[in-house]
Amino acid sequence: MRRQLPIGVLISGGGTNLQAIIDAIEAKRLDAVVKLVLSNEADAYGLVRAKNHGIMTVILDHRKYPSRETYDQAVVDLLRAHGVELVVLAGFMRLLSPVFVKAYSNRIMNIHPALLPSFPGLHVQKKAVEYGVRFSGCTVHFVNDECDEGPIIIQAVVPVFADDTEAKLAARILKEEHRIYPRAIQLYAEGRLRVDGRRVIVAGGANDKNAVLIEPPLDG
């Protein structure tokens, strides 16, 4: 039996990416085990998703801690106590302090609904539509001390159409998030990721030298 990577998933809301990770594990496409799901919000629906699959849940309200650092240390202590090796942020709506980042250096993943380094922060689908970009997408990256600036692991690209709204684009991107996040975790579980400065090197990755995306298409 292949080793199952112990992960901890941090959420604040609905947990659709958490569900995608759980589904990938149960389908044996992801060699991982979710040791716990932690939320800073008691009403996060992702907690229900976790309980439906027999996964331990923890609510840790950040408002009960005197500082970001003391909260993050409490989270780190909890993750370590449960043997978590990789931290997965899945809609965890808090910036991590250096206390957290240093404790799990290059062992914290996040997913962002844009093609970083373009459009970091919030409301990024709206920004992409308003800016008029032809492509958007999502990015899984390692977390560092800066917001949405860590080394990029994997990205998925979706076209942005002339009649797109923020909601339409967000829905298209979310489907790809559910595909690439489990894949990024699996690459880590297989020991195939190496951070070299700002770059993440994927061992054994295949490259199509002729791959290209054009929107609108040349024949359109």
Short mmCIF file of all heavy atoms in Angstrom, two decimals, residues 96-158:
data_model
loop_
_atom_site.label_atom_id
_atom_site.label_comp_id
_atom_site.label_asym_id
_atom_site.label_seq_id
_atom_site.Cartn_x
_atom_site.Cartn_y
_atom_site.Cartn_z
N LEU A 96 -1.77 34.44 6.56
CA LEU A 96 -0.95 33.76 7.55
C LEU A 96 0.22 34.64 7.98
O LEU A 96 0.85 35.30 7.15
CB LEU A 96 -0.42 32.44 6.99
CG LEU A 96 -1.46 31.45 6.46
CD1 LEU A 96 -0.78 30.14 6.08
CD2 LEU A 96 -2.58 31.21 7.46
N SER A 97 0.52 34.60 9.25
CA SER A 97 1.65 35.36 9.78
C SER A 97 2.95 34.58 9.56
O SER A 97 2.93 33.37 9.27
CB SER A 97 1.46 35.61 11.27
OG SER A 97 1.63 34.41 12.00
N PRO A 98 4.11 35.25 9.70
CA PRO A 98 5.39 34.54 9.60
C PRO A 98 5.51 33.37 10.56
O PRO A 98 6.23 32.41 10.28
CB PRO A 98 6.41 35.64 9.90
CG PRO A 98 5.76 36.91 9.46
CD PRO A 98 4.30 36.72 9.80
N VAL A 99 4.82 33.44 11.69
CA VAL A 99 4.83 32.32 12.64
C VAL A 99 4.38 31.03 11.96
O VAL A 99 5.01 29.97 12.11
CB VAL A 99 3.91 32.64 13.85
CG1 VAL A 99 3.68 31.38 14.70
CG2 VAL A 99 4.51 33.75 14.70
N PHE A 100 3.30 31.13 11.20
CA PHE A 100 2.74 29.97 10.51
C PHE A 100 3.62 29.57 9.32
O PHE A 100 3.97 28.40 9.14
CB PHE A 100 1.33 30.30 10.02
CG PHE A 100 0.46 29.10 9.78
CD1 PHE A 100 -0.90 29.16 10.10
CD2 PHE A 100 0.95 27.93 9.25
CE1 PHE A 100 -1.73 28.07 9.87
CE2 PHE A 100 0.13 26.83 9.03
CZ PHE A 100 -1.21 26.91 9.34
N VAL A 101 4.00 30.55 8.51
CA VAL A 101 4.75 30.28 7.29
C VAL A 101 6.09 29.62 7.60
O VAL A 101 6.51 28.68 6.91
CB VAL A 101 4.94 31.57 6.48
CG1 VAL A 101 5.84 31.32 5.27
CG2 VAL A 101 3.59 32.12 6.02
N LYS A 102 6.77 30.08 8.64
CA LYS A 102 8.07 29.51 9.00
C LYS A 102 7.91 28.10 9.56
O LYS A 102 8.75 27.23 9.31
CB LYS A 102 8.77 30.41 10.01
CG LYS A 102 9.27 31.72 9.44
CD LYS A 102 9.91 32.59 10.50
CE LYS A 102 10.37 33.93 9.91
NZ LYS A 102 10.94 34.83 10.95
N ALA A 103 6.84 27.86 10.30
CA ALA A 103 6.63 26.54 10.89
C ALA A 103 6.41 25.47 9.82
O ALA A 103 6.81 24.31 10.00
CB ALA A 103 5.44 26.59 11.84
N TYR A 104 5.77 25.86 8.71
CA TYR A 104 5.48 24.92 7.62
C TYR A 104 6.04 25.46 6.30
O TYR A 104 5.36 25.48 5.28
CB TYR A 104 3.98 24.68 7.50
CG TYR A 104 3.45 23.62 8.44
CD1 TYR A 104 2.97 23.96 9.70
CD2 TYR A 104 3.45 22.28 8.07
CE1 TYR A 104 2.49 22.99 10.57
CE2 TYR A 104 2.96 21.30 8.93
CZ TYR A 104 2.48 21.66 10.18
OH TYR A 104 2.01 20.69 11.03
N SER A 105 7.29 25.86 6.32
CA SER A 105 7.93 26.44 5.13
C SER A 105 7.87 25.49 3.94
O SER A 105 8.27 24.32 4.04
CB SER A 105 9.39 26.78 5.44
OG SER A 105 10.03 27.31 4.31
N ASN A 106 7.33 25.98 2.82
CA ASN A 106 7.16 25.19 1.60
C ASN A 106 6.31 23.94 1.83
O ASN A 106 6.40 22.96 1.10
CB ASN A 106 8.51 24.80 0.99
CG ASN A 106 9.24 26.00 0.43
OD1 ASN A 106 8.63 26.97 0.01
ND2 ASN A 106 10.56 25.93 0.43
N ARG A 107 5.47 24.01 2.87
CA ARG A 107 4.54 22.91 3.16
C ARG A 107 3.13 23.44 3.39
O ARG A 107 2.33 22.80 4.06
CB ARG A 107 5.03 22.09 4.36
CG ARG A 107 6.32 21.33 4.11
CD ARG A 107 6.64 20.36 5.22
NE ARG A 107 6.91 21.06 6.49
CZ ARG A 107 6.54 20.61 7.69
NH1 ARG A 107 5.83 19.49 7.80
NH2 ARG A 107 6.85 21.28 8.77
N ILE A 108 2.85 24.60 2.81
CA ILE A 108 1.50 25.17 2.84
C ILE A 108 1.10 25.46 1.40
O ILE A 108 1.81 26.19 0.69
CB ILE A 108 1.43 26.48 3.64
CG1 ILE A 108 2.02 26.31 5.04
CG2 ILE A 108 -0.01 26.99 3.71
CD1 ILE A 108 2.20 27.62 5.79
N MET A 109 -0.02 24.92 0.96
CA MET A 109 -0.53 25.17 -0.38
C MET A 109 -1.78 26.04 -0.30
O MET A 109 -2.57 25.94 0.65
CB MET A 109 -0.88 23.88 -1.11
CG MET A 109 0.30 23.10 -1.62
SD MET A 109 -0.27 21.71 -2.64
CE MET A 109 1.29 20.87 -2.90
N ASN A 110 -1.97 26.85 -1.32
CA ASN A 110 -3.18 27.65 -1.45
C ASN A 110 -3.63 27.61 -2.91
O ASN A 110 -2.81 27.41 -3.81
CB ASN A 110 -2.91 29.10 -1.04
CG ASN A 110 -4.17 29.95 -1.08
OD1 ASN A 110 -5.21 29.56 -0.57
ND2 ASN A 110 -4.08 31.12 -1.71
N ILE A 111 -4.93 27.80 -3.12
CA ILE A 111 -5.44 27.91 -4.48
C ILE A 111 -6.07 29.29 -4.65
O ILE A 111 -6.78 29.77 -3.76
CB ILE A 111 -6.43 26.78 -4.83
CG1 ILE A 111 -6.73 26.79 -6.33
CG2 ILE A 111 -7.69 26.86 -3.99
CD1 ILE A 111 -7.25 25.48 -6.87
N HIS A 112 -5.79 29.90 -5.80
CA HIS A 112 -6.24 31.26 -6.07
C HIS A 112 -6.96 31.28 -7.41
O HIS A 112 -6.45 30.72 -8.39
CB HIS A 112 -5.04 32.20 -6.10
CG HIS A 112 -5.41 33.64 -6.30
ND1 HIS A 112 -5.99 34.41 -5.32
CD2 HIS A 112 -5.29 34.45 -7.40
CE1 HIS A 112 -6.20 35.62 -5.79
NE2 HIS A 112 -5.80 35.67 -7.05
N PRO A 113 -8.14 31.92 -7.51
CA PRO A 113 -8.93 31.88 -8.74
C PRO A 113 -8.50 32.89 -9.79
O PRO A 113 -9.32 33.64 -10.34
CB PRO A 113 -10.35 32.14 -8.24
CG PRO A 113 -10.16 33.04 -7.07
CD PRO A 113 -8.88 32.58 -6.41
N ALA A 114 -7.23 32.93 -10.09
CA ALA A 114 -6.68 33.77 -11.16
C ALA A 114 -5.33 33.21 -11.54
O ALA A 114 -4.77 32.34 -10.85
CB ALA A 114 -6.55 35.23 -10.71
N LEU A 115 -4.80 33.69 -12.66
CA LEU A 115 -3.48 33.25 -13.11
C LEU A 115 -2.43 34.17 -12.51
O LEU A 115 -2.06 35.20 -13.09
CB LEU A 115 -3.41 33.27 -14.65
CG LEU A 115 -4.33 32.28 -15.36
CD1 LEU A 115 -4.26 32.48 -16.87
CD2 LEU A 115 -3.97 30.84 -14.98
N LEU A 116 -1.97 33.80 -11.32
CA LEU A 116 -0.94 34.61 -10.68
C LEU A 116 0.31 34.67 -11.56
O LEU A 116 0.59 33.72 -12.30
CB LEU A 116 -0.59 33.99 -9.31
CG LEU A 116 -1.71 34.04 -8.28
CD1 LEU A 116 -1.30 33.29 -7.02
CD2 LEU A 116 -2.09 35.47 -7.93
N PRO A 117 1.03 35.79 -11.53
CA PRO A 117 0.92 36.90 -10.58
C PRO A 117 -0.14 37.95 -10.92
O PRO A 117 -0.23 38.97 -10.24
CB PRO A 117 2.31 37.53 -10.62
CG PRO A 117 2.78 37.28 -12.02
CD PRO A 117 2.24 35.92 -12.38
N SER A 118 -0.94 37.72 -11.96
CA SER A 118 -2.02 38.66 -12.27
C SER A 118 -3.17 38.52 -11.26
O SER A 118 -3.52 37.39 -10.88
CB SER A 118 -2.57 38.42 -13.68
OG SER A 118 -1.58 38.65 -14.64
N PHE A 119 -3.75 39.63 -10.87
CA PHE A 119 -4.94 39.68 -10.04
C PHE A 119 -4.82 38.92 -8.71
O PHE A 119 -5.58 37.99 -8.46
CB PHE A 119 -6.16 39.18 -10.81
CG PHE A 119 -6.39 39.88 -12.12
CD1 PHE A 119 -6.41 39.17 -13.31
CD2 PHE A 119 -6.56 41.26 -12.17
CE1 PHE A 119 -6.61 39.82 -14.52
CE2 PHE A 119 -6.77 41.90 -13.37
CZ PHE A 119 -6.79 41.19 -14.55
N PRO A 120 -3.90 39.31 -7.86
CA PRO A 120 -3.90 38.76 -6.50
C PRO A 120 -5.02 39.40 -5.69
O PRO A 120 -5.69 40.33 -6.14
CB PRO A 120 -2.52 39.19 -5.97
CG PRO A 120 -2.22 40.46 -6.70
CD PRO A 120 -2.82 40.29 -8.08
N GLY A 121 -5.25 38.88 -4.50
CA GLY A 121 -6.23 39.48 -3.60
C GLY A 121 -7.64 38.96 -3.81
O GLY A 121 -7.85 37.79 -4.16
N LEU A 122 -8.62 39.85 -3.63
CA LEU A 122 -10.04 39.46 -3.64
C LEU A 122 -10.75 39.94 -4.90
O LEU A 122 -10.25 40.80 -5.62
CB LEU A 122 -10.73 40.04 -2.40
CG LEU A 122 -10.18 39.60 -1.04
CD1 LEU A 122 -10.88 40.36 0.08
CD2 LEU A 122 -10.31 38.10 -0.84
N HIS A 123 -11.94 39.36 -5.17
CA HIS A 123 -12.81 39.75 -6.27
C HIS A 123 -12.08 39.69 -7.62
O HIS A 123 -12.27 40.53 -8.50
CB HIS A 123 -13.36 41.16 -6.05
CG HIS A 123 -13.96 41.35 -4.69
ND1 HIS A 123 -15.06 40.65 -4.26
CD2 HIS A 123 -13.59 42.16 -3.66
CE1 HIS A 123 -15.36 41.02 -3.02
NE2 HIS A 123 -14.48 41.94 -2.64
N VAL A 124 -11.29 38.67 -7.79
CA VAL A 124 -10.39 38.63 -8.95
C VAL A 124 -11.12 38.29 -10.25
O VAL A 124 -10.69 38.71 -11.33
CB VAL A 124 -9.23 37.64 -8.69
CG1 VAL A 124 -8.38 38.13 -7.54
CG2 VAL A 124 -9.74 36.23 -8.42
N GLN A 125 -12.22 37.52 -10.18
CA GLN A 125 -12.96 37.24 -11.41
C GLN A 125 -13.59 38.52 -11.96
O GLN A 125 -13.60 38.75 -13.17
CB GLN A 125 -14.03 36.17 -11.14
CG GLN A 125 -13.47 34.84 -10.65
CD GLN A 125 -13.51 34.75 -9.14
OE1 GLN A 125 -13.46 35.75 -8.43
NE2 GLN A 125 -13.60 33.52 -8.63
N LYS A 126 -14.11 39.35 -11.07
CA LYS A 126 -14.66 40.64 -11.47
C LYS A 126 -13.58 41.51 -12.12
O LYS A 126 -13.81 42.14 -13.15
CB LYS A 126 -15.25 41.35 -10.25
CG LYS A 126 -15.90 42.70 -10.54
CD LYS A 126 -16.57 43.23 -9.26
CE LYS A 126 -17.32 44.53 -9.52
NZ LYS A 126 -16.42 45.67 -9.79
N LYS A 127 -12.40 41.50 -11.53
CA LYS A 127 -11.29 42.29 -12.08
C LYS A 127 -10.90 41.79 -13.46
O LYS A 127 -10.62 42.58 -14.37
CB LYS A 127 -10.08 42.23 -11.13
CG LYS A 127 -10.30 42.93 -9.80
CD LYS A 127 -9.12 42.71 -8.88
CE LYS A 127 -9.35 43.33 -7.51
NZ LYS A 127 -8.24 43.03 -6.57
N ALA A 128 -10.88 40.46 -13.64
CA ALA A 128 -10.50 39.90 -14.93
C ALA A 128 -11.49 40.29 -16.02
O ALA A 128 -11.10 40.66 -17.13
CB ALA A 128 -10.40 38.37 -14.83
N VAL A 129 -12.79 40.21 -15.70
CA VAL A 129 -13.82 40.60 -16.67
C VAL A 129 -13.70 42.08 -17.01
O VAL A 129 -13.73 42.47 -18.19
CB VAL A 129 -15.22 40.26 -16.13
CG1 VAL A 129 -16.29 40.88 -17.02
CG2 VAL A 129 -15.42 38.75 -16.04
N GLU A 130 -13.56 42.91 -16.01
CA GLU A 130 -13.50 44.36 -16.23
C GLU A 130 -12.23 44.77 -16.97
O GLU A 130 -12.25 45.73 -17.75
CB GLU A 130 -13.59 45.09 -14.89
CG GLU A 130 -14.97 44.97 -14.23
CD GLU A 130 -15.02 45.66 -12.89
OE1 GLU A 130 -13.94 45.99 -12.34
OE2 GLU A 130 -16.14 45.86 -12.38
N TYR A 131 -11.15 44.05 -16.74
CA TYR A 131 -9.89 44.39 -17.38
C TYR A 131 -9.87 44.00 -18.86
O TYR A 131 -9.12 44.54 -19.65
CB TYR A 131 -8.72 43.73 -16.65
CG TYR A 131 -7.40 44.38 -16.88
CD1 TYR A 131 -6.97 45.42 -16.06
CD2 TYR A 131 -6.56 43.97 -17.91
CE1 TYR A 131 -5.75 46.04 -16.27
CE2 TYR A 131 -5.35 44.59 -18.13
CZ TYR A 131 -4.94 45.62 -17.30
OH TYR A 131 -3.73 46.22 -17.51
N GLY A 132 -10.71 43.02 -19.20
CA GLY A 132 -10.79 42.59 -20.60
C GLY A 132 -9.76 41.56 -21.00
O GLY A 132 -9.46 41.42 -22.19
N VAL A 133 -9.24 40.80 -20.04
CA VAL A 133 -8.28 39.75 -20.41
C VAL A 133 -8.98 38.66 -21.21
O VAL A 133 -10.19 38.45 -21.08
CB VAL A 133 -7.62 39.15 -19.15
CG1 VAL A 133 -6.81 40.20 -18.41
CG2 VAL A 133 -8.64 38.52 -18.22
N ARG A 134 -8.24 37.98 -22.05
CA ARG A 134 -8.79 36.91 -22.87
C ARG A 134 -8.74 35.56 -22.17
O ARG A 134 -9.48 34.63 -22.53
CB ARG A 134 -8.02 36.82 -24.20
CG ARG A 134 -8.08 38.09 -25.03
CD ARG A 134 -9.50 38.47 -25.37
NE ARG A 134 -9.54 39.60 -26.31
CZ ARG A 134 -10.64 40.20 -26.71
NH1 ARG A 134 -11.81 39.80 -26.24
NH2 ARG A 134 -10.59 41.21 -27.57
N PHE A 135 -7.86 35.43 -21.19
CA PHE A 135 -7.74 34.19 -20.44
C PHE A 135 -7.66 34.51 -18.94
O PHE A 135 -7.08 35.51 -18.53
CB PHE A 135 -6.48 33.40 -20.83
CG PHE A 135 -6.54 32.80 -22.20
CD1 PHE A 135 -5.90 33.42 -23.26
CD2 PHE A 135 -7.24 31.64 -22.44
CE1 PHE A 135 -5.96 32.88 -24.53
CE2 PHE A 135 -7.31 31.09 -23.71
CZ PHE A 135 -6.66 31.71 -24.77
N SER A 136 -8.24 33.64 -18.17
CA SER A 136 -8.07 33.66 -16.72
C SER A 136 -7.85 32.22 -16.30
O SER A 136 -7.50 31.37 -17.11
CB SER A 136 -9.27 34.30 -16.03
OG SER A 136 -9.03 34.46 -14.67
N GLY A 137 -8.07 31.94 -15.02
CA GLY A 137 -7.87 30.57 -14.58
C GLY A 137 -7.63 30.50 -13.09
O GLY A 137 -8.14 31.32 -12.32
N CYS A 138 -6.85 29.51 -12.68
CA CYS A 138 -6.57 29.33 -11.26
C CYS A 138 -5.14 28.84 -11.06
O CYS A 138 -4.53 28.27 -11.97
CB CYS A 138 -7.56 28.37 -10.61
SG CYS A 138 -7.89 26.87 -11.57
N THR A 139 -4.64 29.05 -9.86
CA THR A 139 -3.25 28.78 -9.53
C THR A 139 -3.15 28.11 -8.17
O THR A 139 -3.72 28.60 -7.20
CB THR A 139 -2.44 30.09 -9.47
OG1 THR A 139 -2.56 30.81 -10.70
CG2 THR A 139 -0.98 29.83 -9.17
N VAL A 140 -2.42 27.01 -8.11
CA VAL A 140 -2.03 26.44 -6.82
C VAL A 140 -0.58 26.84 -6.58
O VAL A 140 0.27 26.65 -7.45
CB VAL A 140 -2.17 24.90 -6.80
CG1 VAL A 140 -1.74 24.37 -5.43
CG2 VAL A 140 -3.60 24.48 -7.09
N HIS A 141 -0.33 27.37 -5.40
CA HIS A 141 1.03 27.84 -5.10
C HIS A 141 1.38 27.54 -3.65
O HIS A 141 0.49 27.34 -2.81
CB HIS A 141 1.14 29.35 -5.37
CG HIS A 141 0.25 30.20 -4.49
ND1 HIS A 141 0.69 30.79 -3.33
CD2 HIS A 141 -1.06 30.54 -4.60
CE1 HIS A 141 -0.30 31.47 -2.78
NE2 HIS A 141 -1.38 31.33 -3.52
N PHE A 142 2.67 27.52 -3.38
CA PHE A 142 3.12 27.47 -1.99
C PHE A 142 2.95 28.85 -1.38
O PHE A 142 3.06 29.87 -2.08
CB PHE A 142 4.58 27.03 -1.91
CG PHE A 142 4.80 25.56 -2.14
CD1 PHE A 142 5.56 25.12 -3.21
CD2 PHE A 142 4.25 24.62 -1.29
CE1 PHE A 142 5.78 23.76 -3.43
CE2 PHE A 142 4.46 23.26 -1.50
CZ PHE A 142 5.22 22.83 -2.57
N VAL A 143 2.68 28.89 -0.10
CA VAL A 143 2.43 30.14 0.59
C VAL A 143 3.73 30.68 1.18
O VAL A 143 4.49 29.93 1.82
CB VAL A 143 1.39 29.95 1.71
CG1 VAL A 143 1.23 31.22 2.55
CG2 VAL A 143 0.05 29.54 1.10
N ASN A 144 3.98 31.97 0.97
CA ASN A 144 5.09 32.64 1.64
C ASN A 144 4.55 33.82 2.44
O ASN A 144 3.36 33.90 2.71
CB ASN A 144 6.17 33.06 0.63
CG ASN A 144 5.68 34.06 -0.40
OD1 ASN A 144 4.58 34.63 -0.28
ND2 ASN A 144 6.47 34.27 -1.44
N ASP A 145 5.41 34.74 2.80
CA ASP A 145 5.00 35.85 3.67
C ASP A 145 4.16 36.90 2.97
O ASP A 145 3.57 37.77 3.62
CB ASP A 145 6.23 36.54 4.28
CG ASP A 145 6.92 35.68 5.34
OD1 ASP A 145 6.23 34.82 5.93
OD2 ASP A 145 8.12 35.85 5.56
N GLU A 146 4.09 36.86 1.64
CA GLU A 146 3.33 37.85 0.88
C GLU A 146 2.03 37.25 0.37
O GLU A 146 1.94 36.05 0.12
CB GLU A 146 4.17 38.36 -0.29
CG GLU A 146 5.52 38.95 0.11
CD GLU A 146 5.40 40.16 1.01
OE1 GLU A 146 4.41 40.92 0.85
OE2 GLU A 146 6.26 40.35 1.88
N CYS A 147 1.03 38.09 0.18
CA CYS A 147 -0.28 37.62 -0.26
C CYS A 147 -0.25 37.17 -1.71
O CYS A 147 0.06 37.98 -2.60
CB CYS A 147 -1.32 38.74 -0.07
SG CYS A 147 -2.97 38.32 -0.65
N ASP A 148 -0.55 35.90 -1.96
CA ASP A 148 -0.66 35.34 -3.31
C ASP A 148 0.61 35.52 -4.14
O ASP A 148 0.55 35.74 -5.34
CB ASP A 148 -1.86 35.97 -4.05
CG ASP A 148 -3.18 35.69 -3.36
OD1 ASP A 148 -3.31 34.62 -2.76
OD2 ASP A 148 -4.08 36.56 -3.41
N GLU A 149 1.76 35.41 -3.50
CA GLU A 149 3.02 35.61 -4.21
C GLU A 149 3.96 34.42 -4.12
O GLU A 149 5.08 34.48 -4.61
CB GLU A 149 3.73 36.87 -3.70
CG GLU A 149 3.07 38.16 -4.10
CD GLU A 149 3.95 39.38 -3.83
OE1 GLU A 149 5.13 39.19 -3.47
OE2 GLU A 149 3.45 40.50 -3.97
N GLY A 150 3.53 33.31 -3.51
CA GLY A 150 4.41 32.17 -3.34
C GLY A 150 4.67 31.44 -4.64
O GLY A 150 3.98 31.63 -5.65
N PRO A 151 5.69 30.57 -4.66
CA PRO A 151 6.06 29.83 -5.87
C PRO A 151 4.90 29.01 -6.43
O PRO A 151 4.20 28.32 -5.69
CB PRO A 151 7.21 28.92 -5.39
CG PRO A 151 7.77 29.62 -4.19
CD PRO A 151 6.61 30.29 -3.54
N ILE A 152 4.73 29.09 -7.74
CA ILE A 152 3.58 28.48 -8.43
C ILE A 152 3.84 27.00 -8.71
O ILE A 152 4.88 26.64 -9.26
CB ILE A 152 3.29 29.25 -9.73
CG1 ILE A 152 2.76 30.66 -9.40
CG2 ILE A 152 2.29 28.49 -10.60
CD1 ILE A 152 2.70 31.57 -10.60
N ILE A 153 2.87 26.18 -8.36
CA ILE A 153 2.97 24.73 -8.57
C ILE A 153 2.28 24.30 -9.85
O ILE A 153 2.86 23.59 -10.68
CB ILE A 153 2.35 23.98 -7.37
CG1 ILE A 153 3.06 24.36 -6.07
CG2 ILE A 153 2.40 22.47 -7.59
CD1 ILE A 153 2.32 23.93 -4.81
N ILE A 154 1.03 24.70 -10.02
CA ILE A 154 0.24 24.28 -11.18
C ILE A 154 -0.81 25.35 -11.47
O ILE A 154 -1.30 26.01 -10.54
CB ILE A 154 -0.42 22.90 -10.92
CG1 ILE A 154 -1.13 22.35 -12.16
CG2 ILE A 154 -1.36 22.96 -9.74
CD1 ILE A 154 -1.60 20.89 -11.98
N GLN A 155 -1.13 25.51 -12.74
CA GLN A 155 -2.16 26.46 -13.14
C GLN A 155 -3.07 25.82 -14.18
O GLN A 155 -2.65 24.94 -14.93
CB GLN A 155 -1.54 27.73 -13.74
CG GLN A 155 -0.76 28.57 -12.74
CD GLN A 155 -0.18 29.83 -13.34
OE1 GLN A 155 0.55 29.77 -14.33
NE2 GLN A 155 -0.48 30.97 -12.73
N ALA A 156 -4.31 26.27 -14.20
CA ALA A 156 -5.26 25.90 -15.25
C ALA A 156 -5.78 27.17 -15.89
O ALA A 156 -6.01 28.17 -15.21
CB ALA A 156 -6.41 25.08 -14.68
N VAL A 157 -5.96 27.14 -17.20
CA VAL A 157 -6.35 28.32 -17.98
C VAL A 157 -7.76 28.12 -18.53
O VAL A 157 -8.07 27.05 -19.06
CB VAL A 157 -5.36 28.56 -19.13
CG1 VAL A 157 -5.79 29.77 -19.95
CG2 VAL A 157 -3.95 28.75 -18.59
N VAL A 158 -8.59 29.15 -18.41
CA VAL A 158 -9.92 29.12 -19.03
C VAL A 158 -10.08 30.40 -19.85
O VAL A 158 -9.52 31.44 -19.51
CB VAL A 158 -11.05 29.02 -17.99
CG1 VAL A 158 -10.90 27.80 -17.12
CG2 VAL A 158 -11.13 30.28 -17.14
#
